[in-house]
Amino acid sequence: MLLLWLLLLPLLLLLLPPLAMLWPQRFRDARPSWLIRLQHQVAWVALGWAAAWQQRKLEESTRHAGQSQQQALVWCLKRAPSPCCLPRGNTDMSTFRNHLPLTKTSQAQGEENEEKHLPPALPQYHGEASLQATLLGLVTLNKAYPEVLTPGSTACVTPTSPWPSPVPWLGHALGRVSPLGTKDTRTLLLEALVSPGLRVLEARTAGELLDVFVGLEADGEELAEAIAAGNLGTTPLPRRAAELQEALEQGPRGLALRLWPKLQVVVTLDAGGQAEAVAALRALWCQGLAFFSPAYAASGGVMALNLWPERPQGFYLLPPGIPFIELLPIKAGAQEEAPSTLLLTDVQREEEYELVLTDQAGLTRCRLGDVVQVVGAYNQCPVVKFTCRLGQTLSVRGEVTDENLFSAALAQAVEQWPGAKLLDHACVESSILDSCDGSAPHYEVFVELRGLRNLSEENRDKLDHCLQEASPHYKSLRFRGSVGPAKVHLVGPGSFRALREALATCPSSFPPEMPRVLRLRHLAQLLQKRVIS
């Protein structure tokens, strides 16, 4: 009987959408309808079974993490493109490490070929970790915030979902107000705006959600007119249009909750360089809302899954599977001479490690540059938080100013700029833009702000002072004149949205990560052309 239900459920899920199209338009527009509720209930039954199966697999693999990792390595080697450099049939870890040396991401190659553009990367990820992150993330989110995934309660305002693995019944299980697909961001936003009962707001990344809210403020009047006129194929909604205009007139702070009073949680996919966008959203548009990322993603795919949506800071479980994960210990001042990699069962709590990924497609042990700190354990596997990226460092005289240090100094400086809120920033070493003009090498800093339209020289100087306070080495170089003062440029609204669009075709980038240090000249020039102060 159980097998029969497992066969009938997918069939029912496939038949319900066509049947819905036969229903009269006026009934299809009614929300909720018996058909929507039925689709949602069936989808959740299927999702519950699938999630329970994935939970059992996760428990088994994490309880025997060493054995699971060995099996994952064998799987990679068997499916690797031939010829394989490893001895035939050998899956020993020592042989694997000796025959496949560590490599880094293709940053250097990207710098050499900056004019060569590649097609955008595929928006979805693959592998067991992606499926587990989606299924288990949905179930745990529903437990942490009951009723958030009821019919008509969720809207995704970007064409790509933050849930890393697509499943046939995901749209129904989420209770989205509109299906994803070919719709653009503006259409998705309009469909979200006409649904005041939303409990969940989705976007692929926090940076993209920030773009949505900035665009909402800029195009608010036009959007309100479209809602009032019924341009979505529905009846005109003048009252909802008036509510939108009134909410916008009160400013950005708390805007999301004014538009959707029942909203509880924002779901975005975590990746490098998103912390600044999350901070801006929390401080302004999404004030008072929880944030949840179901997974951590990088160029190797989905690496870790989040089973704790109630925690304000993202904690992620590194599972044994594909991609095959190793961890490289971080030793102060010796990243290039780091010791041998460790497996998941060998790491120590509170220590920091760089992630090394291997998959069957290229069979390369790639150092991602993403650094994690072990904060706990789930059976035999580490639970980590992401701390920084090694590749995001500035160095014009060997000083090595890392991403966290610079971001903290910039945040401290912005606090001293009256009325300013930092939305985004990027840095460039002066040699990239040939901007030394006989002066000492320095940092070029591009910022997008809210609440400040012009930067005085006094304000610009505050960043350099904060950098000197944060880094004694930088302060010493500034005192000797070996490094010039950091130059701060204010760019216009939408500049970083244009940068993200350019990054989607950049050979050295893999969305959704957001670089803080730009190495490619044409990307730096893109921001340079948008400087307004």
Side-chain angles (χ1 to χ4, degrees), residues 418-483:
K421 291 289 184 183
L422 180 64
L423 300 185
D424 225 327
H425 86 274
C427 308
V428 183
E429 294 168 3
S430 56
S431 59
I432 300 293
L433 289 171
D434 297 327
S435 57
C436 288
D437 296 329
S439 60
H442 56 273
Y443 306 156
E444 300 277 348
V445 185
F446 300 91
V447 296
E448 186 172 339
L449 301 174
R450 174 92 192 188
L452 195 63
R453 297 184 178 181
N454 189 30
L455 279 175
S456 65
E457 288 304 316
E458 181 183 359
N459 285 339
R460 297 176 202 269
D461 292 340
K462 287 176 181 176
L463 173 59
D464 198 73
H465 293 318
C466 291
L467 282 171
Q468 292 184 48
E469 292 177 4
S471 173
H473 192 182
Y474 179 83
K475 183 176 183 178
S476 174
L477 292 171
R478 286 283 295 113
F479 180 77
R480 297 201 302 265
S482 302
V483 172

Coordinates of all heavy atoms in Angstrom, one line a residue, residues 418-483:
P418 N 27.5 61.5 9.1 CA 26.1 61.8 9.5 C 25.0 61.4 8.5 O 25.1 61.7 7.4 CB 26.1 63.3 9.7 CG 27.5 63.7 9.9 CD 28.3 62.7 9.1
G419 N 24.1 60.5 9.0 CA 23.0 60.1 8.2 C 23.2 59.0 7.2 O 22.3 58.6 6.5
A420 N 24.5 58.5 7.1 CA 24.8 57.6 6.1 C 24.5 56.1 6.5 O 24.8 55.8 7.7 CB 26.3 57.7 5.7
K421 N 24.0 55.3 5.6 CA 23.9 53.9 5.7 C 24.6 53.2 4.6 O 24.4 53.5 3.4 CB 22.4 53.5 5.8 CG 21.7 53.9 7.0 CD 22.1 53.1 8.2 CE 21.3 53.5 9.4 NZ 21.7 52.9 10.7
L422 N 25.5 52.3 4.9 CA 26.3 51.6 3.8 C 25.5 50.5 3.2 O 24.9 49.6 3.9 CB 27.6 51.0 4.4 CG 28.5 50.3 3.5 CD1 29.1 51.3 2.4 CD2 29.6 49.6 4.2
L423 N 25.3 50.6 1.9 CA 24.6 49.5 1.1 C 25.6 48.5 0.5 O 25.3 47.3 0.5 CB 23.7 50.1 0.0 CG 22.6 51.1 0.5 CD1 21.8 51.5 -0.7 CD2 21.8 50.5 1.6
D424 N 26.7 49.0 0.0 CA 27.6 48.1 -0.6 C 28.9 48.8 -0.8 O 29.0 50.0 -0.8 CB 27.1 47.6 -2.0 CG 27.3 46.1 -2.2 OD1 28.3 45.5 -1.6 OD2 26.4 45.4 -2.8
H425 N 30.0 48.0 -1.0 CA 31.3 48.6 -1.3 C 32.2 47.6 -2.1 O 31.9 46.4 -2.1 CB 32.0 49.0 0.0 CG 32.8 47.9 0.6 ND1 32.3 47.0 1.5 CD2 34.1 47.6 0.5 CE1 33.2 46.2 1.9 NE2 34.3 46.5 1.3
A426 N 33.2 48.1 -2.7 CA 34.2 47.3 -3.4 C 35.5 48.1 -3.4 O 35.5 49.3 -3.3 CB 33.8 47.0 -4.8
C427 N 36.6 47.4 -3.4 CA 38.0 48.0 -3.3 C 38.8 47.6 -4.5 O 38.6 46.5 -5.0 CB 38.7 47.6 -2.0 SG 37.8 47.8 -0.5
V428 N 39.7 48.4 -4.9 CA 40.6 48.2 -6.0 C 42.0 48.7 -5.6 O 42.1 49.8 -5.0 CB 40.2 48.9 -7.3 CG1 41.1 48.6 -8.4 CG2 38.7 48.5 -7.6
E429 N 43.0 47.9 -5.8 CA 44.4 48.4 -5.7 C 44.7 49.4 -6.8 O 44.3 49.2 -7.9 CB 45.4 47.2 -5.7 CG 45.2 46.3 -4.5 CD 45.9 45.0 -4.6 OE1 46.7 44.8 -5.7 OE2 45.8 44.1 -3.8
S430 N 45.4 50.5 -6.5 CA 45.5 51.6 -7.4 C 46.2 51.2 -8.7 O 45.9 51.7 -9.8 CB 46.3 52.7 -6.8 OG 47.6 52.2 -6.3
S431 N 47.0 50.1 -8.7 CA 47.7 49.7 -9.9 C 46.7 49.1 -10.9 O 47.0 49.2 -12.1 CB 48.7 48.6 -9.6 OG 48.1 47.5 -8.9
I432 N 45.6 48.6 -10.5 CA 44.6 48.1 -11.4 C 44.0 49.2 -12.3 O 43.8 49.0 -13.5 CB 43.4 47.4 -10.6 CG1 44.0 46.2 -9.8 CG2 42.3 46.9 -11.6 CD1 44.5 45.1 -10.5
L433 N 43.8 50.4 -11.7 CA 43.3 51.5 -12.4 C 44.3 52.5 -12.9 O 44.0 53.5 -13.5 CB 42.2 52.2 -11.5 CG 40.9 51.5 -11.3 CD1 40.1 52.2 -10.2 CD2 40.1 51.4 -12.6
D434 N 45.6 52.1 -12.7 CA 46.7 53.0 -13.0 C 46.5 54.4 -12.5 O 46.6 55.5 -13.2 CB 46.9 53.1 -14.6 CG 47.2 51.8 -15.2 OD1 48.0 51.0 -14.5 OD2 46.8 51.5 -16.3
S435 N 46.1 54.5 -11.2 CA 45.6 55.8 -10.6 C 46.7 56.4 -9.7 O 46.3 57.2 -8.9 CB 44.3 55.6 -9.9 OG 44.4 54.6 -8.9
C436 N 47.9 55.9 -9.7 CA 48.9 56.4 -8.8 C 49.3 57.8 -9.2 O 49.5 58.7 -8.3 CB 50.1 55.5 -8.8 SG 49.8 53.9 -7.9
D437 N 49.5 58.1 -10.5 CA 50.0 59.4 -11.0 C 51.2 59.9 -10.3 O 51.2 61.1 -9.8 CB 48.8 60.4 -10.9 CG 47.6 60.0 -11.7 OD1 47.9 59.5 -12.8 OD2 46.5 60.3 -11.4
G438 N 52.2 59.0 -10.1 CA 53.4 59.4 -9.4 C 53.3 59.4 -7.9 O 54.3 59.6 -7.2
S439 N 52.1 59.2 -7.3 CA 52.0 59.1 -5.9 C 52.2 57.7 -5.4 O 52.3 56.7 -6.2 CB 50.6 59.6 -5.5 OG 49.6 58.8 -6.0
A440 N 52.2 57.5 -4.1 CA 52.4 56.1 -3.6 C 51.2 55.3 -3.9 O 50.0 55.8 -4.0 CB 52.6 56.3 -2.0
P441 N 51.3 54.0 -4.0 CA 50.2 53.1 -4.2 C 49.2 53.1 -3.1 O 49.6 53.4 -1.9 CB 50.8 51.7 -4.3 CG 52.2 51.8 -3.7 CD 52.6 53.2 -3.9
H442 N 47.9 52.9 -3.4 CA 46.9 53.1 -2.4 C 45.7 52.3 -2.7 O 45.6 51.6 -3.7 CB 46.5 54.6 -2.3 CG 46.1 55.2 -3.6 ND1 47.0 55.7 -4.5 CD2 44.9 55.3 -4.2 CE1 46.4 56.1 -5.6 NE2 45.0 55.8 -5.4
Y443 N 44.7 52.4 -1.9 CA 43.4 51.7 -2.1 C 42.4 52.7 -2.7 O 42.3 53.8 -2.3 CB 42.8 51.2 -0.8 CG 43.7 50.3 0.0 CD1 43.4 50.2 1.4 CD2 44.7 49.6 -0.5 CE1 44.2 49.3 2.2 CE2 45.5 48.7 0.2 CZ 45.3 48.6 1.6 OH 46.1 47.8 2.4
E444 N 41.7 52.2 -3.8 CA 40.6 52.9 -4.3 C 39.3 52.2 -3.8 O 39.1 51.0 -4.0 CB 40.6 52.9 -5.8 CG 41.8 53.5 -6.5 CD 41.7 55.0 -6.6 OE1 40.6 55.6 -6.4 OE2 42.7 55.7 -6.9
V445 N 38.4 53.0 -3.1 CA 37.3 52.4 -2.5 C 36.0 53.0 -3.0 O 35.9 54.3 -3.1 CB 37.3 52.7 -0.9 CG1 36.2 51.9 -0.2 CG2 38.6 52.2 -0.4
F446 N 35.1 52.2 -3.5 CA 33.8 52.6 -4.1 C 32.7 52.2 -3.1 O 32.6 51.0 -2.7 CB 33.6 52.0 -5.5 CG 34.7 52.4 -6.5 CD1 35.8 51.6 -6.6 CD2 34.6 53.5 -7.2 CE1 36.8 51.9 -7.5 CE2 35.5 53.9 -8.1 CZ 36.7 53.1 -8.3
V447 N 31.9 53.2 -2.7 CA 30.8 52.9 -1.8 C 29.5 53.4 -2.3 O 29.4 54.4 -3.0 CB 31.0 53.6 -0.4 CG1 32.3 53.0 0.2 CG2 31.2 55.1 -0.5
E448 N 28.4 52.6 -2.0 CA 27.1 53.1 -2.3 C 26.4 53.3 -1.0 O 26.4 52.4 -0.2 CB 26.3 52.0 -3.2 CG 24.9 52.5 -3.6 CD 24.3 51.5 -4.6 OE1 25.0 50.7 -5.2 OE2 23.0 51.6 -4.7
L449 N 25.8 54.5 -0.8 CA 25.3 54.9 0.5 C 23.8 55.2 0.4 O 23.3 55.5 -0.7 CB 26.0 56.1 1.1 CG 27.5 55.9 1.3 CD1 28.1 57.3 1.7 CD2 27.8 54.9 2.3
R450 N 23.2 55.2 1.6 CA 21.8 55.7 1.7 C 21.9 56.9 2.7 O 22.5 56.8 3.7 CB 21.0 54.6 2.3 CG 19.6 55.0 2.6 CD 18.6 54.7 1.5 NE 17.3 55.4 1.7 CZ 16.3 55.2 0.9 NH1 16.4 54.4 -0.1 NH2 15.2 55.8 1.2
G451 N 21.2 58.0 2.3 CA 21.1 59.1 3.3 C 22.3 60.1 3.1 O 22.3 61.1 3.9
L452 N 23.2 59.9 2.2 CA 24.3 60.9 2.0 C 24.6 61.0 0.5 O 24.9 60.0 -0.1 CB 25.5 60.4 2.8 CG 26.6 61.5 3.0 CD1 26.1 62.6 3.8 CD2 27.8 60.8 3.7
R453 N 24.5 62.2 0.0 CA 24.7 62.4 -1.5 C 26.0 63.0 -1.8 O 26.4 63.1 -3.0 CB 23.6 63.3 -2.0 CG 22.2 62.7 -1.9 CD 21.2 63.6 -2.5 NE 19.8 63.1 -2.4 CZ 18.7 63.7 -2.9 NH1 18.8 64.8 -3.5 NH2 17.5 63.1 -2.8
N454 N 26.8 63.3 -0.8 CA 28.1 63.9 -1.1 C 29.0 63.6 0.1 O 28.6 63.6 1.2 CB 28.0 65.5 -1.3 CG 29.3 66.1 -1.8 OD1 30.0 65.5 -2.5 ND2 29.5 67.3 -1.4
L455 N 30.3 63.4 -0.3 CA 31.3 63.1 0.8 C 32.3 64.2 0.9 O 32.9 64.6 -0.1 CB 32.0 61.8 0.4 CG 31.4 60.5 0.7 CD1 32.2 59.3 0.2 CD2 31.2 60.3 2.2
S456 N 32.4 64.8 2.0 CA 33.4 65.8 2.2 C 34.8 65.2 2.4 O 35.0 64.0 2.6 CB 33.1 66.6 3.5 OG 33.2 65.8 4.6
E457 N 35.9 66.0 2.2 CA 37.2 65.5 2.4 C 37.4 65.0 3.8 O 38.2 64.0 4.0 CB 38.2 66.6 2.0 CG 38.3 66.9 0.5 CD 38.6 65.6 -0.3 OE1 39.5 64.9 0.1 OE2 38.0 65.5 -1.4
E458 N 36.8 65.6 4.7 CA 37.0 65.2 6.1 C 36.4 63.8 6.3 O 37.0 62.9 7.0 CB 36.2 66.2 7.0 CG 36.3 65.8 8.5 CD 35.6 66.8 9.4 OE1 34.9 67.7 8.9 OE2 35.5 66.5 10.6
N459 N 35.2 63.5 5.7 CA 34.6 62.2 5.8 C 35.5 61.2 5.1 O 35.7 60.0 5.6 CB 33.2 62.2 5.2 CG 32.2 62.9 6.1 OD1 32.4 63.0 7.3 ND2 31.1 63.3 5.5
R460 N 36.1 61.5 3.9 CA 36.9 60.5 3.2 C 38.1 60.2 4.0 O 38.6 59.0 4.1 CB 37.3 61.1 1.9 CG 36.2 61.4 0.9 CD 36.7 62.1 -0.3 NE 35.7 62.9 -1.0 CZ 34.9 62.4 -2.0 NH1 35.1 61.1 -2.4 NH2 34.0 63.1 -2.6
D461 N 38.7 61.2 4.7 CA 39.9 60.9 5.5 C 39.6 60.0 6.7 O 40.6 59.3 7.2 CB 40.5 62.2 6.1 CG 41.0 63.1 4.9 OD1 41.3 62.5 3.8 OD2 41.2 64.3 5.2
K462 N 38.4 59.9 7.2 CA 38.1 59.1 8.3 C 38.3 57.6 8.1 O 38.7 56.8 9.0 CB 36.6 59.3 8.8 CG 36.5 60.7 9.5 CD 35.0 60.9 9.8 CE 34.9 62.3 10.5 NZ 33.5 62.7 10.8
L463 N 38.1 57.1 6.8 CA 38.4 55.7 6.5 C 39.8 55.4 6.7 O 40.2 54.4 7.2 CB 37.9 55.4 5.1 CG 38.3 54.0 4.6 CD1 37.7 52.9 5.5 CD2 37.8 53.8 3.1
D464 N 40.7 56.3 6.2 CA 42.1 56.0 6.3 C 42.6 56.0 7.8 O 43.4 55.2 8.2 CB 42.9 57.1 5.5 CG 44.3 56.6 5.3 OD1 44.5 55.7 4.4 OD2 45.3 57.1 5.9
H465 N 42.0 56.9 8.6 CA 42.3 56.9 10.0 C 41.8 55.6 10.7 O 42.6 55.0 11.5 CB 41.6 58.1 10.7 CG 42.2 59.4 10.3 ND1 43.5 59.6 10.1 CD2 41.6 60.6 10.0 CE1 43.7 60.9 9.7 NE2 42.6 61.5 9.7
C466 N 40.6 55.1 10.3 CA 40.1 53.8 10.9 C 41.0 52.6 10.4 O 41.2 51.7 11.2 CB 38.7 53.6 10.4 SG 37.5 54.8 11.2
L467 N 41.5 52.7 9.2 CA 42.4 51.6 8.7 C 43.7 51.6 9.5 O 44.2 50.5 9.9 CB 42.6 51.8 7.2 CG 41.6 51.3 6.3 CD1 41.9 51.7 4.8 CD2 41.4 49.8 6.3
Q468 N 44.2 52.8 9.8 CA 45.4 52.8 10.6 C 45.2 52.3 12.0 O 46.1 51.7 12.5 CB 46.0 54.3 10.6 CG 46.4 54.8 9.2 CD 47.0 56.2 9.3 OE1 47.9 56.4 10.2 NE2 46.6 57.1 8.4
E469 N 44.1 52.6 12.6 CA 43.8 52.1 13.9 C 43.6 50.6 13.9 O 44.0 49.9 14.9 CB 42.5 52.8 14.5 CG 42.7 54.3 14.7 CD 41.4 54.9 15.2 OE1 40.4 54.1 15.3 OE2 41.3 56.1 15.4
A470 N 43.1 50.1 12.9 CA 42.8 48.6 12.8 C 44.1 47.8 12.4 O 44.2 46.6 12.8 CB 41.7 48.3 11.8
S471 N 45.0 48.4 11.7 CA 46.2 47.7 11.2 C 47.5 48.4 11.5 O 47.8 49.4 10.8 CB 46.0 47.4 9.7 OG 47.2 46.9 9.2
P472 N 48.2 48.0 12.5 CA 49.5 48.6 12.8 C 50.5 48.6 11.6 O 51.2 49.6 11.4 CB 50.1 47.8 13.9 CG 48.9 47.2 14.6 CD 47.9 46.9 13.5
H473 N 50.4 47.5 10.8 CA 51.3 47.4 9.6 C 50.9 48.5 8.6 O 51.8 49.2 8.1 CB 51.2 46.0 9.0 CG 52.3 45.8 8.0 ND1 52.4 44.6 7.3 CD2 53.3 46.5 7.5 CE1 53.4 44.7 6.5 NE2 54.0 45.8 6.6
Y474 N 49.7 48.7 8.3 CA 49.2 49.7 7.4 C 49.6 51.1 7.9 O 50.0 51.9 7.2 CB 47.7 49.6 7.2 CG 47.1 50.6 6.3 CD1 47.1 50.5 4.9 CD2 46.5 51.8 6.8 CE1 46.6 51.4 4.1 CE2 46.0 52.8 6.0 CZ 46.0 52.6 4.6 OH 45.5 53.5 3.8
K475 N 49.4 51.3 9.2 CA 49.8 52.6 9.9 C 51.2 52.9 9.7 O 51.6 54.0 9.4 CB 49.4 52.6 11.3 CG 49.6 53.9 12.0 CD 49.1 53.8 13.5 CE 49.3 55.2 14.2 NZ 48.8 55.1 15.6
S476 N 52.1 51.9 9.8 CA 53.5 52.1 9.7 C 53.9 52.4 8.2 O 54.7 53.4 8.0 CB 54.3 50.8 10.1 OG 55.6 50.9 9.8
L477 N 53.2 51.8 7.3 CA 53.5 52.1 5.9 C 53.0 53.5 5.5 O 53.6 54.2 4.7 CB 52.8 51.0 5.0 CG 53.4 49.6 5.0 CD1 52.5 48.7 4.3 CD2 54.8 49.6 4.5
R478 N 51.9 53.9 6.1 CA 51.4 55.2 5.9 C 52.3 56.3 6.5 O 52.6 57.3 5.9 CB 50.0 55.4 6.5 CG 48.9 54.7 5.7 CD 48.5 55.4 4.4 NE 47.8 56.7 4.8 CZ 48.4 57.9 4.5 NH1 49.5 58.0 3.9 NH2 47.7 59.0 4.8
F479 N 52.8 56.0 7.7 CA 53.7 56.9 8.3 C 55.0 57.2 7.5 O 55.5 58.3 7.4 CB 54.1 56.4 9.7 CG 55.0 57.3 10.5 CD1 54.6 58.5 11.1 CD2 56.4 57.0 10.6 CE1 55.4 59.3 11.8 CE2 57.3 57.8 11.3 CZ 56.8 59.0 11.9
R480 N 55.5 56.1 6.9 CA 56.7 56.2 6.1 C 56.5 56.7 4.7 O 57.4 57.0 3.9 CB 57.4 54.8 6.0 CG 57.9 54.2 7.3 CD 58.9 53.2 7.1 NE 58.5 52.1 6.3 CZ 58.0 50.9 6.8 NH1 57.8 50.8 8.1 NH2 57.6 50.0 5.9
G481 N 55.2 56.8 4.3 CA 54.9 57.3 3.0 C 54.9 56.2 1.9 O 54.8 56.5 0.7
S482 N 55.1 55.0 2.3 CA 55.2 53.9 1.3 C 53.8 53.6 0.7 O 53.7 53.1 -0.4 CB 55.7 52.6 2.0 OG 57.0 52.8 2.5
V483 N 52.7 53.9 1.5 CA 51.4 53.7 1.0 C 50.6 55.0 1.1 O 50.8 55.7 2.2 CB 50.7 52.6 1.8 CG1 49.2 52.6 1.5 CG2 51.3 51.3 1.6

